[in-house]
Amino acid sequence: AEAVRTNKDADLFTAQAGVLARLGKVDEAKAACENGLAQAPNNQQLLLLKEAIGLVSAQHSTSLSEDAKAARRVIEALRAYAVETSNPPELIRQLRVITEQEPTFYPGWSVLSAQLQGQGRYEEAAETAQTAMRIMPGDPRPARLAVDALLLVNEPRRALAAADEWSRRSRPDSYQADTTMAALHIRLGSPTNASQVLKPWVERISGDPEAAPILVRLLAAVDILRGNEEEAWALVKPRVDRDPQWLAHAIEISRDLIQIKAPINASVSWLDRVTNQWRPGTEDTLRIAQARMDIATTTGSESDVLLAIQTLDRLRSMPDQSEWHERGGMLLRIAAERMLGRSSDAAQHARQ
């Protein structure tokens, strides 16, 4: 400690944090990491050690007394990797040994899965998370880990099964698991199942003005699919009125509906209602143009393409548009002109 006080070297903070962590002094170890990062914010050794200490201390208590041996082994493996070896395969080998010998210590599995993902070994990370889920049948954490890992390998159906298990293990407080399940049902084209999963949480989502936008959008899309546009409107309108940045999410709901293959008239009706209610700025006007083009691409209707072009004309007249907005608008206009068979106009815009 005296050396650290007199010499603000990041390596000394790293060594101090490692010693404190191995002694089970979690708060002091975290403080050492924070002090070191204040001196060297991008020091990878300190960042990795801080992550390790956080993972192994994320138990039901604030100390490392539970599973202390396994916790110290994980920290030591990460400390050695960060400070001494920088050998990813060796770190993964050590973590595999720890999980084999301490199979019910969840942070070991979590760190192993994260390190595999960091090395681009996503399939192995997914298998690791599923193994942890099987070994710890009553713990919701490995099930959640499996959901994330399976989504990284584009396995939404298996992720849904893991989310169902996560929900079962988390009850009665299965909010995060259930909303994840609902999003996966929507992704897989099952809005009815999404509605059923969200049913116990509708009041919580609706009544929380700070609810995550993705959850509000999900609930609104489910309401619209069930023919309850008014309920969706009552959910979204107060949020936009209170915070203009929410207009972007209101617009995106029309695109969400297209993505989940809702009847196209539902998307059109919603977008018309949004554009009639609020005056969008440059960013949201471009977003509306994109939504109009999505609708036109789905319907193939000339009138829908013309509505997109009208929106692009409004965008072009806005004095505050950036080069990025101008470029985005031009690309959409080229696509619109081509859809109308105006090849020469599209070519002219492309040259511009």
Side-chain angles (χ1 to χ4, degrees), residues 21-330:
R22 290 196 298 279
L23 291 173
K25 298 180 179 181
V26 177
D27 292 338
E28 293 178 55
K30 287 181 179 177
C33 287
E34 294 291 353
N35 291 336
L37 288 169
Q39 302 294 323
N42 298 316
N43 185 282
Q44 292 302 307
Q45 297 171 353
L46 282 167
L47 289 169
L48 186 58
L49 192 55
K50 179 185 175 185
E51 178 187 5
I53 293 169
L55 283 166
V56 297
S57 64
Q59 306 287 44
H60 302 297
S61 66
T62 58
S63 74
L64 291 182
S65 58
E66 298 179 12
D67 297 316
K69 179 181 176 183
R72 291 180 184 129
R73 290 179 68 187
V74 171
I75 288 176
E76 177 57 29
L78 283 162
R79 187 207 62 78
Y81 170 74
V83 178
E84 298 170 7
T85 66
S86 297
N87 185 339
E90 174 59 19
L91 172 60
I92 289 171
R93 187 196 68 77
Q94 290 185 38
L95 291 170
R96 287 196 189 280
V97 170
I98 293 169
T99 56
E100 288 171 3
Q101 296 177 350
E102 309 284 350
T104 60
F105 182 64
Y106 168 73
W109 295 101
S110 177
V111 174
L112 174 56
S113 180
Q115 292 301 318
L116 286 166
Q117 289 167 0
Q119 297 301 312
R121 296 159 66 174
Y122 299 109
E123 292 285 352
E124 291 178 67
E127 182 56 40
T128 294
Q130 291 175 95
T131 299
M133 186 171 68
R134 289 192 295 270
I135 288 174
M136 290 175 276
D139 193 331
R141 294 173 300 172
R144 179 175 187 172
L145 186 70
V147 172
D148 294 338
L150 286 164
L151 287 174
L152 282 176
V153 293
N154 195 28
E155 289 281 2
R157 292 192 183 279
R158 293 167 65 195
L160 178 60
D164 189 27
E165 186 64 20
W166 175 20
S167 173
R168 186 187 66 78
R169 298 180 185 191
S170 301
R171 292 170 190 156
D173 189 13
S174 56
Y175 178 72
Q176 286 187 310
D178 289 347
T179 50
T180 300
M181 283 179 64
L184 286 167
H185 277 304
I186 288 287
R187 177 173 172 177
L188 293 168
S190 302
T192 302
N193 290 336
S195 177
Q196 285 298 114
V197 171
L198 283 179
K199 202 169 185 178
W201 307 109
V202 169
E203 187 174 338
R204 177 169 171 174
I205 297 171
S206 302
D208 181 4
E210 303 303 323
I214 188 64
L215 295 181
V216 177
R217 282 168 54 179
L218 179 60
L219 185 56
V222 169
D223 282 339
I224 294 168
L225 278 169
R226 294 167 58 206
N228 296 327
E229 185 182 293
E230 290 303 323
E231 289 185 24
W233 190 250
L235 180 66
V236 173
K237 184 178 183 297
R239 288 171 165 79
V240 183
D241 289 340
R242 185 176 61 253
D243 180 3
Q245 291 187 354
W246 246 94
L247 180 55
H249 297 294
I251 296 165
E252 288 300 317
I253 289 170
S254 68
R255 302 184 69 196
D256 294 341
L257 291 165
I258 293 174
Q259 289 177 5
I260 63 176
K261 303 189 187 310
I264 194 63
N265 63 323
S267 179
V268 173
S269 173
W270 180 263
L271 188 59
D272 287 346
R273 192 167 187 174
V274 168
T275 55
N276 289 333
Q277 181 70 34
W278 294 287
R279 182 185 295 274
T282 305
E283 183 80 21
D284 288 327
T285 299
L286 178 59
R287 187 171 279 108
I288 290 168
Q290 179 64 71
R292 292 289 185 197
M293 280 299 295
D294 288 351
I295 290 169
T297 300
T298 303
T299 64
S301 167
E302 179 178 330
S303 60
D304 288 330
V305 180
L306 292 173
L307 283 173
I309 290 176
Q310 288 177 16
T311 306
L312 291 168
D313 287 340
R314 287 197 297 275
L315 176 66
R316 187 164 55 180
S317 68
M318 290 180 166
D320 61 338
Q321 67 170 318
S322 66
E323 181 180 348
W324 183 85
H325 295 125
E326 185 177 359
R327 182 180 297 274
M330 189 64 70

Side-chain angles (χ1 to χ4, degrees), residues 333-334 337-338 341-352:
R333 183 175 290 274
I334 292 169
E337 298 289 4
R338 286 174 176 166
R342 301 173 182 173
S343 300
S344 58
D345 291 340
Q348 180 180 350
H349 290 304
R351 285 193 295 272
Q352 294 175 355

